[in-house]
Amino acid sequence: MNPVHQARKRFGQNFLTDKVIIDKIVSCVNPMVEDNLIEIGPGKGALTDLLISQCPKMQALEVDRELVQFLKKKYSQYKDFVVHEEDALKTDYANFKFGDKLRLVGNLPYNISTPLLFHMISQVGVVKDLHFMLQREVANRLVARPENKDYGRLSVIIQYHCRVVPLIDVPAKAFRPIPQVESTFIRLVPHQKKPEAAICEQHLNHIVKGCFQKRRKILRNSLDCSQNELKLLDNEIDLFQRPEELSVADFVKISNILYLNREYNQ
Ligand code: SAM
């Protein structure tokens, strides 16, 4: 690698430099030798240095070819370490699951953190836990409850699948180059048994997406359904509410009622 590697904006490269924060992050992750640990976007190895010393058979996904070459050399004494030149947005995580479920860790590139979260959550069945650095605004959306301004599609879908635990607030000055935003390091733990289960998760995604595309409208006007379906829903849900007032359980209820009715009428 060029000794003065220029951080690439298009890859969202803000490298962690604060040793105290790095230590705190790795102790939150608490990697074990036997873990099936995958780091997303190791960059120059700020987190990898500690992660690999505790879990030498970890793997990493990095999209920047120059950094991949650098990491291969840097960790060449770790014979089981593999760094894949790969776009984490396109990764099929099931390919990495030999035996134990995956532990995913990453200081995620800010420019793609939301699509990355949706991509990973779509494969959450092979994941034990996820530890991510996110811009504070995205972390707030993950934990937001109904009637909060940050509550939206991301909150509902992530909370449907996972328990969300904010761990460390990280100031912008912990990174180089210094980003415009503050960050929060969070843990996501997939529910072993979902508190409320959708009969069809694809249908739930569709309903939630549709509702929040018209978030200022009441449900009666934002749900894409027939008069008969509205009548069915009316027995169970107050249709004069806006999407931001509904709990995850409410969305699941709506999705299940509509899904069963649509299946029945097919
Ligand atoms: N982990 C390092 C650290 O904390 O200093 C780097 C973090 S930096 C915010 C994000 C890293 O993700 C960069 O190394 C970048 O090249 C990599 N990256 C960006 N987009 C990616 C993608 N789609 N798939 C895999 N890695 C990606």
Side-chain angles (χ1 to χ4, degrees), residues 77 133 135 166 191 212 250 265:
Q77 81 272 28
M133 181 81 77
Q135 64 264 52
H191 299 303
F212 281 106
D250 291 332
N265 287 321

Side-chain angles (χ1 to χ4, degrees), residues 8 10-17 39-48 61-64 67 86-91 106-112 116 175:
R8 296 191 164 105
R10 73 175 188 283
F11 291 144
Q13 291 179 348
N14 298 94
F15 299 109
L16 260 171
T17 51
E39 186 181 2
I40 317 261
K44 295 190 268 186
L47 295 172
T48 328
L61 310 178
E62 174 55 65
V63 81
D64 183 328
L67 289 176
E86 188 158 329
D87 180 348
L89 273 172
K90 297 188 181 145
T91 299
N107 171 13
L108 299 188
Y110 295 140
N111 47 349
I112 58 162
L116 249 177
F175 304 86

Side-chain angles (χ1 to χ4, degrees), residues 174-199:
F175 304 86
R176 291 291 179 278
I178 298 178
Q180 304 278 354
V181 292
E182 304 286 297
S183 300
T184 300
F185 186 67
I186 57 139
R187 174 184 296 142
L188 302 176
V189 186
H191 299 303
Q192 290 205 351
K193 185 172 181 315
K194 296 194 175 73
E196 46 278 320
I199 300 166

Side-chain angles (χ1 to χ4, degrees), residues 156-185:
V156 175
I157 296 303
I158 298 290
Q159 290 170 29
Y160 171 78
H161 287 284
C162 298
R163 182 164 59 86
V164 186
V165 189
L167 296 167
I168 312 167
D169 280 340
V170 182
K173 64 178 184 338
F175 304 86
R176 291 291 179 278
I178 298 178
Q180 304 278 354
V181 292
E182 304 286 297
S183 300
T184 300
F185 186 67

Side-chain angles (χ1 to χ4, degrees), residues 37-261:
L37 183 72
I38 301 191
E39 186 181 2
I40 317 261
K44 295 190 268 186
L47 295 172
T48 328
D49 284 352
L50 287 181
L51 294 172
I52 202 167
S53 69
Q54 297 176 41
C55 181
K57 68 178 175 77
M58 67 171 283
Q59 301 183 63
L61 310 178
E62 174 55 65
V63 81
D64 183 328
R65 177 165 299 170
E66 202 180 321
L67 289 176
V68 170
Q69 295 314 321
F70 167 78
L71 292 160
K72 280 184 177 164
K73 274 206 196 107
K74 182 173 185 188
Y75 300 117
S76 59
Q77 81 272 28
Y78 292 94
K79 298 297 172 211
D80 294 326
F81 171 70
V82 186
V83 53
H84 305 267
E85 185 183 328
E86 188 158 329
D87 180 348
L89 273 172
K90 297 188 181 145
T91 299
D92 180 352
Y93 292 91
N95 289 341
F96 292 90
K97 191 192 162 294
F98 303 107
D100 281 354
K101 287 192 173 185
L102 310 178
R103 303 197 67 203
L104 299 176
V105 181
N107 171 13
L108 299 188
Y110 295 140
N111 47 349
I112 58 162
S113 55
T114 303
L116 249 177
L117 282 167
F118 278 119
H119 178 65
M120 285 166 189
I121 221 69
S122 70
Q123 305 182 40
V124 77
V126 296
V127 175
K128 181 175 173 192
D129 58 21
L130 310 95
H131 286 85
F132 290 145
M133 181 81 77
L134 297 167
Q135 64 264 52
R136 182 89 35 89
E137 177 238 328
V138 174
N140 288 345
R141 284 162 56 201
L142 294 192
V143 293
R145 298 290 177 196
E147 311 215 25
N148 182 296
K149 68 174 173 39
D150 295 320
Y151 187 66
R153 178 180 165 220
L154 189 64
S155 331
V156 175
I157 296 303
I158 298 290
Q159 290 170 29
Y160 171 78
H161 287 284
C162 298
R163 182 164 59 86
V164 186
V165 189
L167 296 167
I168 312 167
D169 280 340
V170 182
K173 64 178 184 338
F175 304 86
R176 291 291 179 278
I178 298 178
Q180 304 278 354
V181 292
E182 304 286 297
S183 300
T184 300
F185 186 67
I186 57 139
R187 174 184 296 142
L188 302 176
V189 186
H191 299 303
Q192 290 205 351
K193 185 172 181 315
K194 296 194 175 73
E196 46 278 320
I199 300 166
C200 172
E201 291 179 354
Q202 220 182 332
H203 190 255
L204 174 70
N205 287 339
H206 173 73
I207 296 289
V208 174
K209 189 173 180 186
C211 282
F212 281 106
Q213 273 168 351
K214 302 175 197 156
R215 65 182 292 145
R216 302 308 305 158
K217 292 197 173 172
I218 57 168
L219 288 178
R220 180 170 281 286
N221 299 332
S222 65
L223 280 167
D224 183 17
C225 54
S226 66
Q227 285 305 317
N228 275 348
E229 287 176 329
L230 283 177
K231 266 190 211 144
L232 270 179
L233 290 172
D234 208 15
N235 299 328
E236 301 284 341
I237 296 268
D238 173 3
L239 295 176
F240 286 89
Q241 295 178 96
R242 293 200 173 112
E244 63 212 27
E245 294 173 90
L246 302 187
S247 65
V248 175
D250 291 332
F251 279 108
V252 173
K253 195 188 274 181
I254 293 173
S255 171
N256 286 350
I257 291 172
L258 292 178
Y259 184 78
L260 284 175
N261 184 56

